[in-house]
Amino acid sequence: MILCIDQVIPTELLRQTRAALADTDFHDGRETAGWHARTVKNNQQANGHHPEIARLRQAITEELNRHLLFRMAARPKRMKPLMFSRYEPGMDYGNHVDDAIMPTPEGAMRTDLSFTLFLEEPEHYEGGELLIDNTAGEQTYKLPAGALVLYPSSTLHRVEPVTEGRRLAAVGWVQSQVRDPQQREILFDLDTTRRQIFEQSGKTRHFDMISKSLTNLLRMWADI
């Protein structure tokens, strides 16, 4: 399941993030890439040790953990600290798949889901589309600032060359409480349906039965 989520962070937090990124150091993005991804990665990443960048990274992570749709789709157990990336004209990131295991301050984590949070308005740069390859073919994403695309870490994907302007994004990875992507999608569909029933009719017998099934499937599938 690939999911686009609009306005996952407040406008003021987006403004603060862009201002901080305009005033911080960036380094070669290949420093954090795996041995094979280094051959196709051509971007820059913000200095994660800068105090303001660290504060904003934490603030955005807290917003994601509060966002209902993100929680329903990802069911996060752990998240790797966000990385802020910048692409200027001529920069791109060729086809790659994200590492299955990544280091975090708390130890290694499995990557079930990846996400890109767009920080620059799409009309402010040319190129820079995120292309994700799945069974339906290649799908292209270039979302408004503040919107996010969530996708399986197992997919082959790339960032097209930027030809004009500047592409800013925050990228991150999630270890889910539910490891299997098909199971996550079933839970997402059930949760979405029961919430729609509640909005339309309140706490009905149908709502209770779907809630029971959702809860018991989560109990069966949870990896915690």
Side-chain angles (χ1 to χ4, degrees):
M1 182 173 69
I2 298 175
L3 186 66
C4 296
I5 309 177
D6 194 25
Q7 295 179 325
V8 296
I9 60 172
T11 302
E12 177 58 22
L13 181 55
L14 177 62
R15 185 198 66 77
Q16 292 176 15
T17 302
R18 286 198 294 226
L21 292 176
D23 194 37
T24 194
D25 297 329
F26 279 78
H27 55 82
D28 191 334
R30 288 175 294 185
E31 295 176 8
T32 58
W35 62 268
H36 53 90
R38 290 192 191 102
T39 65
V40 294
K41 188 175 185 180
N42 178 25
N43 68 3
Q44 299 171 332
Q45 286 171 187
N47 177 8
H49 299 293
H50 189 286
E52 182 63 4
I53 295 299
R55 182 189 73 81
L56 292 168
R57 182 173 57 202
Q58 181 61 31
I60 291 173
T61 300
E62 290 173 359
E63 290 291 337
L64 291 176
N65 283 324
R66 283 194 292 264
H67 196 284
L68 176 61
L69 194 56
F70 182 85
R71 294 202 322 268
M72 286 170 55
R75 300 193 177 271
K77 176 181 178 180
R78 301 174 65 186
M79 291 176 63
K80 182 175 173 62
L82 290 172
M83 292 195 300
F84 295 100
S85 65
R86 181 173 71 186
Y87 293 76
E88 295 182 328
M91 294 184 176
D92 66 344
Y93 196 165
N95 278 333
H96 64 284
V97 62
D98 293 335
D99 288 342
I101 307 294
M102 291 188 179
T104 75
E106 293 77 32
M109 62 166 265
R110 185 185 68 243
T111 57
D112 297 317
L113 293 156
S114 305
F115 62 86
T116 296
L117 171 61
F118 292 82
L119 301 174
E120 194 72 69
E121 296 295 351
E123 62 269 22
H124 292 171
Y125 61 100
E126 296 294 331
E129 297 87 356
L130 173 65
L131 272 73
I132 302 174
D133 191 4
N134 60 25
T135 55
E138 289 186 340
Q139 295 177 281
T140 303
Y141 301 89
K142 188 175 180 179
L143 304 184
L148 174 150
V149 57
L150 179 71
Y151 55 97
S153 299
S154 56
T155 55
L156 197 65
H157 54 281
R158 69 179 185 269
V159 177
E160 289 288 81
V162 170
T163 59
E164 186 177 334
R166 178 190 64 183
R167 179 191 193 267
L168 291 175
V171 294
W173 296 268
V174 178
Q175 180 175 338
S176 178
Q177 294 174 340
V178 179
R179 181 172 186 164
D180 186 278
Q182 292 179 320
Q183 293 172 351
R184 283 198 305 272
E185 186 169 357
I186 290 170
L187 294 172
F188 179 79
D189 290 344
L190 286 172
D191 208 352
T192 300
T193 301
R194 73 167 184 152
R195 290 174 187 277
Q196 291 172 344
I197 291 174
F198 190 85
E199 289 175 3
Q200 294 172 2
S201 307
K203 192 176 181 299
T204 65
R205 173 70 173 169
H206 291 153
F207 171 85
D208 286 342
M209 293 305 294
I210 291 179
S211 294
K212 175 187 173 185
S213 295
L214 172 67
T215 301
N216 287 334
L217 285 173
L218 182 58
R219 183 177 291 111
M220 186 186 304
W221 294 337
D223 175 21
I224 58 174

